[in-house]
Amino acid sequence: MAVQLYDTLRRTVEPLQSEPGEPLRFYCCGPTVYGPAHIGNFRTFLIQDTLRRVLEVDGQTVEHVRNITDLDDKTIRQSQAEGLPLAEFTAKWTQKFQADCAALNMRPPSNEPSAVAHIPQQIALVQQLVDKEHAYVSEDGSVYFRVDSFENYGSLSKLKQRDLKTQQQNSAGERNDADEYDRESVSDFALWKSRKPEDGDNYWPSPWSEGRPGWHLECSAMAESAFDGAMIDLHGGGIDLCFPHHENEIAQSECAHGRAFCRHWFHSAHLMVEGAKMSKSLGNLYTLEDLQTKGFPPAALRYSLIASSYRQQLNFTIDGLHAARSALLKMERFADSLLAVTGEDRNALATYINAETASGFGRFAKAWESLCNNLNTAACLGAIFGVIGSNPAPSLKAEDARALLDAFGSILYALGLQLYSVETPKQEAPDDILNLAQQRWEAKQARDWAKADEIRDELLSAGWVVKDSKEGFEVVPS
Ligand code: AMP
Ligand code: ZN
């Protein structure tokens, strides 16, 4: 069954397939690296990662490009606030992003180009647009795209059917800050921004002025360069990017190259937290690290961020994260029951988690079909728990259990779920800590409360807590 996906441009669910013999070229707008990515960003990136995995299980070769936005108002402003050169500052946050992605079991993209590394390509693209009169140079040497010159402008977000006033908002309904979105007026947008004092050292020479590219330009230039001029098959991003960012990408690329930019548009809905928009001031802006500090493993976060349909706004809650953890534990017990039949230990599960299904999906056919049907992860998980609930293991022969593990492993691969990572292994205290705890216990028995308290504090500052019970004591990490 071919993978089908809703296309924002045509407003219909369409099969996803590359040209015969060609890889499926999948471009995703990447993170702006000026701080840690938040769970809203990860919702979008995880949905994209899941789709890529589904395509791999479907047997397709995916060329996945996700850029790094290391040059915009935010990266420049924040690097200056921290007194760091832009390259050093963005390298730090790029590494953090990549480490978080790895913790969330995301497949690394085939290519992760950065905007700063593509200045010549961006200048060349502006030049083509100027030459073709789709762009004009302003008095200060900035260059603007002439939106009137592109008849199809707005077709992705159906902008022409809207009141002009809504152009002040992006497609997630958020107000566009004129500077953040590089907009000089309601229509034309900046391709090249002439240098301003607040840009500091972050400017490059160009035929028009010293300055830097506008933010929208980078994806057009990087997609062109990463795919060697070939059309993008599938382009992803959060729904907020549909307008103006993706409209502008289309306008720039189609006017410069005179051909279609992208075949299929894939947008995921925004994430809310406990029913509210995420914001620093509400204290509900979570990073992966925040949730790990609260004791949640990355696998539970991955589960909870992909568990509902990508086209519906996801209301993230801490309760949902607890439920995700329980769901993963149920999957672990199910895998345990099958491994007991095959006579293998938990380490063997990894050998079943891959994109190949030796003999089809069997009992997991419904789970797989749900993923192929517009990435319906919620229905997929429902189908998985249907199989788990039917408790098939006791009646299976070893070879049937292996076949079921094969199918289950491919579904786990598609969802990117890692089992046996949920329970935090018990950490044994080293001998010196155990000795101290024993001395405290003896002080307590001798009713030397002062000494007992002193040792308790010493243990605490070494990162250990003593828990007393009738039978004795236990030392656990604080
Ligand atoms: P940024 O780092 O702001 O450039 O965003 C990176 C990606 O995260 C883009 O695809 C955005 O559309 C997406 N994104 C930003 N905020 C949210 C959110 N609250 N929910 C889902 N996706 C988001
Ligand atoms: Zn982009």
Side-chain angles (χ1 to χ4, degrees), residues 29-34 38-45 48 69 74 174 215 236-241 268-272 278:
C29 296
T32 309
V33 283
Y34 69 111
H38 56 63
I39 58 172
N41 303 134
F42 281 123
R43 150 94 164 149
T44 291
F45 295 134
Q48 292 162 349
T69 297
K74 286 177 277 189
E174 295 156 347
W215 167 52
I239 190 67
D240 59 310
L241 298 189
S268 41
H270 256 209
L271 170 132
M272 309 282 280
M278 225 180 1

Side-chain angles (χ1 to χ4, degrees), residues 27-30 67 215-216 218-220 235-236 241 245-246 249:
Y27 185 92
C28 297
C29 296
N67 74 290
W215 167 52
H216 307 294
E218 62 174 51
C219 291
S220 286
H235 192 318
L241 298 189
H245 184 56
H246 291 159
E249 282 186 28

Side-chain angles (χ1 to χ4, degrees), residues 18-80:
S18 59
E19 292 290 319
E22 296 287 313
L24 191 132
R25 299 182 177 94
F26 184 19
Y27 185 92
C28 297
C29 296
T32 309
V33 283
Y34 69 111
H38 56 63
I39 58 172
N41 303 134
F42 281 123
R43 150 94 164 149
T44 291
F45 295 134
L46 281 166
I47 288 289
Q48 292 162 349
D49 178 67
T50 305
L51 178 63
R52 172 187 166 175
R53 287 164 167 278
V54 168
L55 289 164
E56 286 174 354
V57 175
D58 188 48
Q60 305 205 37
T61 307
V62 182
E63 195 175 343
H64 182 197
V65 177
R66 187 181 61 217
N67 74 290
I68 297 285
T69 297
D70 54 359
L71 180 59
D72 79 332
D73 293 353
K74 286 177 277 189
T75 52
I76 291 177
R77 206 186 301 136
Q78 196 55 32
S79 67
Q80 288 171 345

Side-chain angles (χ1 to χ4, degrees), residues 102-135:
L104 288 164
N105 198 28
M106 283 160 65
R107 306 260 292 122
S110 333
N111 188 351
E112 241 176 339
S114 96
V116 168
H118 287 77
I119 301 288
Q121 291 87 339
Q122 296 185 74
I123 291 176
L125 187 53
V126 179
Q127 188 64 61
Q128 281 174 292
L129 291 167
V130 171
D131 291 347
K132 294 184 175 174
E133 296 183 7
H134 286 293

Side-chain angles (χ1 to χ4, degrees), residues 49-192:
D49 178 67
T50 305
L51 178 63
R52 172 187 166 175
R53 287 164 167 278
V54 168
L55 289 164
E56 286 174 354
V57 175
D58 188 48
Q60 305 205 37
T61 307
V62 182
E63 195 175 343
H64 182 197
V65 177
R66 187 181 61 217
N67 74 290
I68 297 285
T69 297
D70 54 359
L71 180 59
D72 79 332
D73 293 353
K74 286 177 277 189
T75 52
I76 291 177
R77 206 186 301 136
Q78 196 55 32
S79 67
Q80 288 171 345
E82 294 188 21
L84 288 175
L86 184 67
E88 195 180 320
F89 171 79
T90 55
K92 175 177 81 171
W93 289 114
T94 302
Q95 278 158 21
K96 173 70 179 148
F97 174 70
Q98 288 165 339
D100 284 356
C101 288
L104 288 164
N105 198 28
M106 283 160 65
R107 306 260 292 122
S110 333
N111 188 351
E112 241 176 339
S114 96
V116 168
H118 287 77
I119 301 288
Q121 291 87 339
Q122 296 185 74
I123 291 176
L125 187 53
V126 179
Q127 188 64 61
Q128 281 174 292
L129 291 167
V130 171
D131 291 347
K132 294 184 175 174
E133 296 183 7
H134 286 293
Y136 56 91
V137 187
S138 73
E139 260 179 30
D140 71 349
S142 296
V143 184
Y144 290 93
F145 185 88
R146 186 176 281 123
V147 166
D148 272 353
S149 74
F150 180 51
E151 207 187 327
N152 277 342
Y153 190 85
S155 55
L156 181 68
S157 50
K158 305 282 182 274
L159 190 68
K160 283 186 180 141
Q161 294 153 20
R162 295 190 198 171
D163 182 357
L164 256 187
K165 269 187 283 178
T166 61
Q167 288 194 43
Q168 303 296 351
Q169 298 185 333
N170 68 14
S171 36
E174 295 156 347
R175 203 180 153 71
N176 286 339
D177 178 288
D179 191 35
E180 219 83 83
Y181 281 84
D182 309 323
R183 294 166 61 110
E184 178 202 49
S185 73
V186 271
S187 51
D188 295 353
F189 58 92
L191 298 168
W192 185 261

